[in-house]
Amino acid sequence: MALREPAPSPYRLRPGGPFDLDEIARIESESFPAPWKREFFASELVEPHRYVRVLGRDDGREPRIGGYLFAVSLYEEFHVNKIATDLRLRHQGY
């Protein structure tokens, strides 16, 4: 049996920015019993050595942000601080 080609995804991994904070905060509050505050995510966007990526789509359909990753890279180490996927997209390979 041949492997099936995955369906094209409307989502693309891209750097996160201030315009993503509302969606990030929504996913965070739906995903964790003690969510980070929106302001903490905002501060992470401007701190040095931070790696912020979102799974975004720009075709106007929901969810606009399918997930996010906040990490820090220091001294040859990479530490994931927060990662989550929108509830509607879980268990779909994202």
Side-chain angles (χ1 to χ4, degrees):
M1 177 164 79
L3 291 177
R4 202 171 27 141
E5 281 292 316
S9 172
Y11 291 96
R12 298 288 175 257
L13 197 60
R14 63 169 173 76
F19 44 86
D20 298 314
L21 288 173
D22 289 340
E23 283 291 296
I24 289 169
R26 179 191 59 76
I27 294 168
E28 176 77 3
S29 66
E30 292 173 353
S31 300
F32 299 101
W36 278 8
K37 293 182 179 179
R38 185 183 189 279
E39 295 78 20
F40 193 75
F41 285 110
S43 70
E44 286 289 292
L45 293 174
V46 297
E47 291 294 323
H49 311 291
R50 295 312 195 265
Y51 182 85
V52 178
R53 293 293 181 269
V54 297
L55 193 59
R57 68 188 297 166
D58 57 7
D59 61 2
R61 297 180 67 190
E62 295 293 326
R64 190 177 64 78
I65 301 295
Y68 58 83
L69 168 74
F70 282 76
V72 62
S73 175
L74 286 172
Y75 309 110
E76 299 180 13
E77 289 187 14
F78 191 81
H79 179 77
V80 175
N81 292 328
K82 276 289 185 173
I83 187 170
T85 305
D86 187 289
L87 291 172
R88 295 170 282 183
L89 299 179
R90 291 186 185 166
H91 309 291
Q92 295 182 36
Y94 291 105

